Amino acid sequence: MTDSAVACTVKSPVALQIGDVKSDTSRPGVYVIDVTFPQGQLVKIQDVSFKNYYTAFLTVRLQMKGSASQEGSVKWVTCLRNHRLMPNPHTEEGSQDYFSVYRHQMLLLPDNVTAARLILRQPSSSWLNFTLEEIKIHQCVNDDSEREVPVWFSELTPVDQVPDLQGLPDPQAVASSIQQMWALTEVMQTSQTAVPIGRFDVDGCYDVNLLSYT
Amino acid sequence: MAEKRRSGVSMAEPKSAKADSEEEFLSQLGVAALLRGSLLKLVEARPEDPIGFLADHFANLASGSEAADCGDGEPSRTVQDRLSQALWHLNLAHHSQRSAFNNNVRVAYELLMTGGQHLRPGGGVRGRIYTELLRSLCSEAGLSSSTSAPLLRRIQCQDHEAVPFELFRQGVLICTVFADYVRKSQSLYLAVSGGSELPAQRALCQAALGALRDALDTAQCADTARYLEASAKIAPCTLAQAMASAQSSYEAQAGTSMDPEEFEKEAAALFIARVQPVS
């Protein structure tokens, strides 16, 4: 349940354009956002979440470390190809929605990832700018389904296993009295505020500095 | 004396104006507020003896107004009077009726704080009066002095100390809760002994107290988890199993029993061990 968002560096979008970015008058239609993980950390991605801003199509490429046999080989693989974020690139629908891309939606399981590249495409010319915001990459947490069950849980007596009650006092009556005694003790304990009366407070006569001069 | 003179004056007034003077007379005295206050207290306390309760209430009010009339100087009421008044206030509401109980504690505190000219420098009730009050609370609730002595040792204050309100409230609450606790332990003993005249078996008593101790010793974690775990330890089926195994394992020593005083002492020790001493 608790996904841990991996600390990652998201670089600013780089436009892919033919020609010089500054002098060219036409607006770019492709941006690339690089996401790197600190200190060469290998991440097992659970999902990638982001907020869209007028991006129509998304392609995700991941740089994955090869298997242990081929040490040092990193390769770029495409995990998500032309994933449509806006049903119609010219209209508003989906333009500012929140998206999550999960590992089961990807073409390859994203284990041992060292870097990610998000390629944004917006073919429509109606929008001045387009990008992705709040990009977060969550990694898989350990499976919590085998969390330890508390000891007392397994020691509960099943209701149908009634023990032999001959000569024993009525457990209901005993239990009810003990429960009330327990509740009264709890009331007492929770009401204790540890307000001091100052019995052992001194008024400064025993400061070490003063004593050393006597 | 003053009242007789006053009634003499009103009788001298002419009969035609009597209706007006009655209403004025009542509103002058503030009787409406007086009666309303007494009825509210009555409803809050719901005593078994309403007339006695009202009598006590008006007696307290009377002694309170006397003190105001006498003015400052010597304390017009003895410490014993104030103590008994404070005790009366504290017995009005059960500690489970939280807001009423707190109100009564506040009233009792203010009653006991009025020390005439000699106000405590720290502000608060004198330790001697506080200890006396706790002792009276315990004895009025029917606790023997031997039962309440260990508790009082933990929470009583020195004669010269000034007890702040929080500590006062805590002490009073602990005493009233302890009284309930001891009563419950007596009914637990009855349950364990099966209601018979004979004293309860030692093994069974110790099984019951052991279960309570286990539940109280539950590890400190989130409240809900702690309550669940503790309640699992004192569920009827768990207790039935514990008692069955206790009885079977001690069958060779059948006959050893625990008398009620010892049981009460051990149960009280469980409670007192968890009371924080005053420091």
Side-chain angles (χ1 to χ4, degrees):
Chain A
M1 278 290 138
T2 53
D3 299 323
S4 48
V6 183
C8 49
T9 330
V10 178
K11 303 213 171 81
S12 54
V14 173
L16 297 184
Q17 266 188 291
I18 304 172
D20 196 1
V21 175
K22 290 200 174 73
S23 59
D24 213 348
T25 48
S26 64
R27 288 193 297 273
V30 187
Y31 276 105
V32 173
I33 299 181
D34 266 314
V35 180
T36 52
F37 301 112
Q39 288 177 359
Q41 189 187 2
L42 291 178
V43 180
K44 193 171 170 189
I45 295 182
Q46 171 72 18
D47 69 270
V48 179
S49 62
F50 51 86
K51 182 174 185 291
N52 189 12
Y53 188 76
Y54 295 99
T55 307
F57 300 100
L58 173 70
T59 299
V60 176
R61 279 174 70 84
L62 300 175
Q63 186 186 39
M64 307 215 310
K65 197 162 169 104
S67 53
S69 57
Q70 315 153 18
E71 289 254 359
S73 72
V74 285
K75 51 191 172 79
W76 284 98
V77 278
T78 307
C79 281
L80 203 64
R81 180 162 301 160
N82 273 342
H83 182 65
R84 183 185 282 270
L85 299 175
M86 289 166 64
N88 184 343
H90 298 291
T91 58
E92 282 278 346
E93 196 181 336
S95 56
Q96 296 189 58
D97 287 356
Y98 288 87
F99 288 91
S100 275
V101 179
Y102 290 92
R103 56 190 278 129
H104 56 79
Q105 292 171 281
M106 298 183 182
L107 299 170
L108 283 185
L109 283 183
D111 302 331
N112 298 331
V113 175
T114 45
R117 193 167 273 167
L118 304 167
I119 301 168
L120 287 61
R121 291 203 304 113
Q122 177 51 276
S124 165
S125 58
S126 6
W127 314 113
L128 279 179
N129 210 352
F130 63 95
T131 184
L132 293 182
E133 294 164 353
E134 296 170 33
I135 298 172
K136 288 194 183 84
I137 297 190
H138 298 104
Q139 66 178 355
C140 297
V141 289
N142 294 329
D143 193 4
D144 273 328
S145 61
E146 280 123 19
R147 197 190 310 218
E148 293 149 15
V149 171
V151 177
W152 57 269
F153 220 72
S154 44
E155 285 173 11
L156 288 178
T157 327
V159 184
D160 48 355
Q161 259 188 40
V162 179
D164 198 7
L165 284 179
Q166 1 160 305
L168 281 183
D170 177 22
Q172 293 284 350
V174 173
S176 130
S177 293
I178 294 189
Q179 283 161 10
Q180 292 181 52
M181 286 165 76
W182 179 83
L184 286 170
T185 316
E186 277 297 306
V187 165
M188 182 272 293
Q189 281 186 300
T190 48
S191 75
Q192 300 205 91
T193 57
V195 171
I197 202 176
R199 185 174 290 174
F200 302 117
D201 285 352
V202 293
D203 57 353
C205 305
Y206 299 108
D207 273 348
V208 176
N209 292 335
L210 292 176
L211 284 175
S212 65
Y213 290 131
T214 52
Chain B
M1 286 283 236
E3 293 90 68
K4 282 192 190 154
R5 239 179 283 134
R6 250 185 266 139
S7 58
V9 166
S10 65
M11 284 227 247
E13 279 178 345
K15 284 234 169 177
S16 54
K18 200 167 183 193
D20 287 343
S21 75
E22 275 175 4
E23 275 180 25
E24 278 171 14
F25 176 65
L26 285 177
S27 62
Q28 212 175 34
L29 291 182
V31 165
L34 208 62
L35 286 178
R36 192 179 352 169
S38 64
L39 286 179
L40 278 175
K41 272 244 171 244
L42 186 67
V43 168
E44 206 178 77
R46 294 188 191 244
E48 277 139 21
D49 174 25
I51 304 220
F53 175 86
L54 284 173
D56 282 334
H57 173 71
F58 285 117
N60 287 340
L61 276 182
S63 56
S65 61
E66 255 177 41
D69 285 342
C70 277
D72 56 355
E74 321 145 17
S76 58
R77 289 176 285 167
T78 62
V79 170
Q80 204 47 48
D81 278 345
R82 285 191 277 136
L83 258 183
S84 48
Q85 267 194 36
L87 275 171
W88 181 81
H89 278 285
L90 290 174
N91 283 325
L92 286 181
H94 190 249
H95 66 82
S96 59
Q97 302 164 355
R98 228 8 112 74
S99 51
F101 185 77
N102 283 341
N103 286 342
N104 294 338
V105 171
R106 174 56 81 173
V107 168
Y109 183 74
E110 271 160 21
L111 253 179
L112 294 176
M113 223 172 75
T114 51
Q117 286 175 335
H118 311 286
L119 290 172
R120 299 284 99 205
V125 172
R126 280 183 69 177
R128 188 168 58 85
I129 300 184
Y130 172 70
T131 308
E132 216 20 75
L133 178 74
L134 294 182
R135 200 169 289 136
S136 317
L137 266 177
C138 289
S139 59
E140 266 198 14
L143 299 176
S144 68
S145 50
S146 56
T147 318
S148 48
L151 177 71
L152 288 174
R153 264 200 296 276
R154 280 212 176 200
I155 58 175
Q156 72 192 3
C157 289
Q158 308 283 343
D159 290 354
H160 59 276
E161 287 173 328
V163 180
F165 176 67
E166 264 312 308
L167 198 59
F168 181 86
R169 191 183 70 86
Q170 190 179 303
V172 168
L173 184 66
I174 290 180
C175 282
T176 44
V177 169
F178 183 64
D180 274 351
Y181 179 89
V182 169
R183 270 196 287 271
K184 279 280 158 260
S185 74
Q186 287 163 354
S187 57
L188 174 63
Y189 184 81
L190 278 178
V192 171
S193 67
S196 64
E197 294 291 327
L198 305 167
Q201 287 190 37
R202 176 167 289 265
L204 292 178
C205 291
Q206 283 178 341
L209 288 175
L212 178 59
R213 189 179 302 121
D214 260 346
L216 288 172
D217 282 340
T218 316
Q220 289 294 326
C221 46
D223 274 342
T224 41
R226 203 158 63 84
Y227 292 157
L228 281 176
E229 193 173 340
S231 52
K233 290 179 183 162
I234 49 182
C237 1
T238 323
L239 284 171
Q241 236 184 13
M243 289 195 291
S245 59
Q247 196 173 49
S248 61
S249 65
Y250 279 96
E251 245 165 21
Q253 308 178 20
T256 47
S257 61
M258 197 189 269
D259 37 312
E261 290 81 27
E262 194 186 339
F263 185 84
E264 197 178 297
K265 206 165 84 151
E266 278 199 28
L270 280 178
F271 183 94
I272 296 174
R274 283 159 183 82
V275 174
Q276 282 177 12
V278 174
S279 65

